[in-house]
Amino acid sequence: MSLLTVGSVAFDKLETPFGKTDKIVGGAATYITLSASYFTNKNNLVAVVGGDFPEEMIKIMQDKGINTDGLEVIKDGKTFFWSGRYHNDMNTRDTLDTQLNVFENFNPQIPTNYQDCTYLMLGNMVPALQHTVLKKLNNRPKFVMLDTMNLWINIANEDLKAVIAEVDCLTINDEEARQLSGEYSLRKAAKTIMEMGPKTLIIKKGEHGALLFQGEDIFFCPALPLEEVFDPTGAGDTFAGGFIGYLAKTDDISFENMKRAIVHGSAMASYCVEKFGTERILSLKQEDIDARVAQFKNLAFFDL
Amino acid sequence: MSLLTVGSVAFDKLETPFGKTDKIVGGAATYITLSASYFTNKNNLVAVVGGDFPEEMIKIMQDKGINTDGLEVIKDGKTFFWSGRYHNDMNTRDTLDTQLNVFENFNPQIPTNYQDCTYLMLGNMVPALQHTVLKKLNNRPKFVMLDTMNLWINIANEDLKAVIAEVDCLTINDEEARQLSGEYSLRKAAKTIMEMGPKTLIIKKGEHGALLFQGEDIFFCPALPLEEVFDPTGAGDTFAGGFIGYLAKTDDISFENMKRAIVHGSAMASYCVEKFGTERILSLKQEDIDARVAQFKNLAFFDL
């Protein structure tokens, strides 16, 4: 089934305890679509970049089966730029610089050939813009997933709640779940958030794994304990892309299949952090993904 | 098979966001033996208390099948007392008061009828004392497990490493694993710590679950997402008691069986935190434990 992803395509400049990068390609929609490309070839992107964005990267995305008809290039504009420095624990980071550039006036246009999408991923951006995308679709997709961040909980709370009310699945991290719900217990937080609208909630806990909630059902997928986390940038988006890509591939939104989707998303994220930026997830083979999914099974299964 | 536990039996005075207690019975060895009592009735305790310790509690322990021949009562002494206040996140706490009392000069005596123990649990205390216990046993037990804390890593590092070198399994939390190994990555930390001696390592991550390491094998057991964590005191010891109690019951120290033991320990710990002190783990039935173990399976299993 077809997947539509709307979100940022950007340049990142990163510092981690392992090194620094110059400007490299990043952005939520980049990670989401690249990750999803291992699961579906009906992989449609809506985003905006400036004339400074490398055509080579667009070519790479197309080679991965990503449809870039909806990638608007504003020739005389500059691409969204973010710069950050990770602390030693790799879980916290400081933003050094943010230049929204062409992303500031992003007005997502949905190409006609995208209108029939079955799965929709609203990457992290201004909630009102996420809402606009939903309204611009002639038919509501079968499954709509939304990612957001603490910034929007703080400065666009009402807009965020308005769009959250209309999606099927929300994905946020544990601190954001606490912030959004006002509950410390993640179980209570999940209940409160699901009452806001989404039937399904994914709480990402970084190195501590991810929780999937739906009604009274809970599934927990650990993160793979890695020798080294090289660069966590994009891990959450890669996870989301693997998750929704797997759902789009299998076209099965049962809770049981969502468990498999979470594991595939986690496997993708575990690769993402092994190198800077998109490097590692650009070079995966199907057998790499299968091998890692098997590792998750080994990690979590026991025989009673 | 028989289990011997050496450690503190104490009074705790607790404050959590949910309320306060007066002096209630606590201590590492209390939680360990009570938890293990659900798995083995060859459950031997070596500890020391003062004349102020309630005989009623000793009777309760005996009714749970705990052999208290090794519980020394110093009539004119006072029982070890600890007082603490948990922060809102329930993961951090301040110590308000520590009075070692009779525990300060604790000189563990091993009753003759304890000498044949197959499983030994060295609860958290001065590392030199843990070492003394090992030396006082005529035969080395089949399986020796040790718990410790950040304090001993700081002030008794050499003594700690000397005793760690002689045990089969070490159980510590994630921050302590990082402190002891000097490695941030838990996978690297585990490797470094296992090179110090223990063939098996358990890293406890509180609400984020527990990791079991042995050679290249890793198993992860999540913590059950609870609506409310009422009082985390004793959760780690209850976990350890369930783990080693299960091993003693089954007398199988294979990695596969240790997985089952970790799940049983986690189930016990998930009950422990539901009420203040030992209240909840005193009132469990076998079917409660079985039901919770089944919940862990539901939480972690997926069908590929």
Side-chain angles (χ1 to χ4, degrees):
Chain A
M1 291 294 148
S2 63
L3 168 65
L4 168 58
T5 299
V6 186
S8 60
V9 171
F11 286 127
D12 292 339
K13 189 162 180 286
L14 309 168
E15 288 181 35
T16 81
F18 295 101
K20 294 181 183 194
T21 66
D22 287 326
K23 264 177 25 176
I24 57 173
V25 172
T30 309
Y31 285 102
I32 293 164
T33 51
L34 284 176
S35 183
S37 74
Y38 289 91
F39 303 96
T40 178
N41 56 8
K42 292 178 183 167
N43 193 2
N44 300 322
L45 170 66
V46 167
V48 64
V49 292
D52 56 347
F53 194 77
E55 279 185 36
E56 185 196 338
M57 187 63 195
I58 298 174
K59 180 71 172 53
I60 289 171
M61 295 174 93
Q62 288 167 346
D63 287 347
K64 289 272 176 200
I66 299 168
N67 186 333
T68 60
D69 290 355
L71 178 65
E72 188 185 357
V73 181
I74 298 180
K75 289 282 179 213
D76 57 351
K78 287 178 74 181
T79 302
F80 177 21
F81 171 76
W82 176 79
S83 167
R85 183 191 293 131
Y86 288 88
H87 301 173
N88 280 332
D89 65 7
M90 286 288 204
N91 279 329
T92 51
R93 66 185 186 190
D94 295 325
T95 289
L96 302 177
D97 193 6
T98 305
Q99 298 170 22
L100 288 175
N101 298 328
V102 296
F103 200 58
E104 190 162 9
N105 299 308
F106 182 33
N107 180 16
Q109 302 300 323
I110 316 293
T112 317
N113 57 335
Y114 286 12
Q115 276 289 351
D116 65 344
C117 75
T118 318
Y119 290 82
L120 172 64
M121 176 70 214
L122 298 166
N124 173 35
M125 57 184 174
V126 186
L129 216 53
Q130 294 175 313
H131 214 153
T132 300
V133 172
L134 257 185
K135 288 173 192 161
K136 283 189 177 177
L137 291 171
N138 298 340
N139 300 303
R140 190 194 187 274
K142 175 175 172 179
F143 186 81
V144 179
M145 178 155 148
L146 181 141
D147 185 32
T148 191
M149 71 186 293
N150 50 4
L151 177 68
W152 312 125
I153 301 174
N154 285 329
I155 69 167
N157 200 276
E158 278 191 37
D159 285 353
L160 179 61
K161 285 187 177 163
V163 65
I164 283 178
E166 301 203 19
V167 306
D168 301 294
C169 178
L170 175 68
T171 165
I172 48 177
N173 74 31
D174 44 357
E175 283 321 304
E176 290 157 357
R178 286 171 171 138
Q179 196 186 342
L180 181 62
S181 65
E183 293 283 357
Y184 188 82
S185 151
L186 293 182
R187 187 135 174 202
K188 283 191 182 175
K191 208 172 163 184
T192 302
I193 292 169
M194 287 188 288
E195 281 165 4
M196 295 176 186
K199 206 178 149 194
T200 306
L201 172 68
I202 297 171
I203 298 182
K204 298 172 289 183
K205 306 202 300 170
E207 63 157 334
H208 301 302
L211 283 159
L212 171 70
F213 294 89
Q214 190 182 94
E216 292 299 310
D217 289 326
I218 312 177
F219 174 65
F220 177 82
C221 182
L224 210 62
L226 297 169
E227 292 243 344
E228 257 168 30
V229 170
F230 199 80
D231 171 21
T233 311
D237 294 312
T238 302
F239 168 84
F243 176 81
I244 200 162
Y246 187 87
L247 292 187
K249 174 190 179 181
T250 53
D251 193 27
D252 171 359
I253 56 172
S254 68
F255 191 72
E256 282 309 309
N257 198 52
M258 282 193 192
K259 290 182 183 179
R260 289 186 278 270
I262 286 263
V263 174
H264 281 83
S266 301
M268 295 304 294
S270 75
Y271 277 122
C272 174
V273 302
E274 287 185 350
K275 295 205 174 170
F276 271 123
T278 58
E279 187 181 347
R280 190 68 184 99
I281 56 162
L282 279 173
S283 66
L284 292 176
K285 297 197 177 70
Q286 186 57 47
E287 54 260 40
D288 296 327
I289 300 169
D290 295 344
R292 199 138 279 189
V293 166
Q295 276 185 277
F296 276 88
K297 195 173 162 182
N298 275 336
L299 185 65
F301 277 38
F302 54 93
D303 193 10
L304 273 184
Chain B
M1 290 294 148
S2 63
L3 167 64
L4 168 58
T5 299
V6 186
S8 60
V9 171
F11 286 127
D12 292 338
K13 190 162 180 285
L14 308 168
E15 289 180 35
T16 82
F18 296 99
K20 292 182 182 194
T21 66
D22 286 326
K23 262 174 31 174
I24 58 173
V25 172
T30 309
Y31 285 102
I32 294 165
T33 51
L34 284 176
S35 183
S37 74
Y38 289 91
F39 303 97
T40 176
N41 56 7
K42 291 176 183 167
N43 192 3
N44 301 322
L45 170 66
V46 166
V48 63
V49 291
D52 56 348
F53 194 78
E55 279 187 34
E56 184 196 339
M57 187 64 195
I58 298 175
K59 180 71 172 52
I60 289 171
M61 295 173 93
Q62 288 166 348
D63 287 346
K64 290 272 176 200
I66 299 168
N67 186 333
T68 60
D69 290 356
L71 178 64
E72 188 184 357
V73 182
I74 298 179
K75 289 282 179 212
D76 57 352
K78 287 177 75 180
T79 302
F80 177 22
F81 171 75
W82 177 80
S83 169
R85 181 192 293 133
Y86 288 87
H87 300 174
N88 281 334
D89 66 6
M90 286 289 205
N91 279 330
T92 50
R93 66 187 186 189
D94 295 324
T95 289
L96 302 176
D97 193 6
T98 305
Q99 297 170 22
L100 287 175
N101 298 327
V102 295
F103 200 58
E104 189 162 10
N105 298 307
F106 181 34
N107 179 16
Q109 303 299 323
I110 315 293
T112 317
N113 57 335
Y114 286 12
Q115 276 290 348
D116 64 344
C117 75
T118 318
Y119 290 81
L120 173 63
M121 176 70 214
L122 298 166
N124 173 35
M125 57 183 175
V126 187
L129 215 54
Q130 292 176 314
H131 214 154
T132 299
V133 172
L134 257 185
K135 288 173 190 159
K136 281 188 177 178
L137 292 170
N138 298 339
N139 301 303
R140 191 196 186 274
K142 176 175 171 178
F143 185 81
V144 179
M145 178 155 147
L146 182 141
D147 184 34
T148 190
M149 71 188 291
N150 50 3
L151 176 69
W152 311 125
I153 300 174
N154 286 328
I155 70 167
N157 198 278
E158 278 191 35
D159 285 355
L160 178 62
K161 285 187 176 161
V163 66
I164 282 178
E166 300 203 18
V167 306
D168 300 293
C169 178
L170 175 68
T171 165
I172 48 177
N173 74 31
D174 44 357
E175 283 321 304
E176 290 157 356
R178 287 172 171 141
Q179 195 185 344
L180 182 61
S181 65
E183 293 282 357
Y184 188 83
S185 151
L186 292 182
R187 186 133 174 203
K188 283 191 182 174
K191 206 172 166 187
T192 302
I193 292 169
M194 287 188 287
E195 282 166 3
M196 295 176 186
K199 205 179 150 193
T200 305
L201 173 68
I202 297 171
I203 298 182
K204 299 172 288 184
K205 307 203 298 171
E207 63 157 333
H208 301 301
L211 283 158
L212 171 69
F213 294 89
Q214 191 181 92
E216 292 298 312
D217 290 326
I218 312 179
F219 173 65
F220 177 82
C221 182
L224 210 62
L226 297 169
E227 293 244 343
E228 257 169 29
V229 171
F230 198 82
D231 170 21
T233 311
D237 294 311
T238 301
F239 168 83
F243 176 80
I244 201 162
Y246 187 86
L247 292 186
K249 174 190 179 182
T250 51
D251 194 28
D252 173 357
I253 56 172
S254 68
F255 191 72
E256 282 308 310
N257 198 51
M258 283 193 190
K259 291 182 184 180
R260 288 185 279 269
I262 287 264
V263 174
H264 281 83
S266 300
M268 296 303 294
S270 76
Y271 277 121
C272 175
V273 302
E274 287 186 349
K275 295 204 174 172
F276 270 123
T278 58
E279 187 180 346
R280 189 68 184 99
I281 56 162
L282 279 173
S283 66
L284 292 176
K285 296 194 179 72
Q286 186 58 47
E287 54 260 41
D288 297 326
I289 299 168
D290 295 344
R292 200 138 278 190
V293 166
Q295 277 185 276
F296 277 87
K297 196 175 161 180
N298 275 336
L299 185 66
F301 277 36
F302 55 92
D303 193 11
L304 272 185

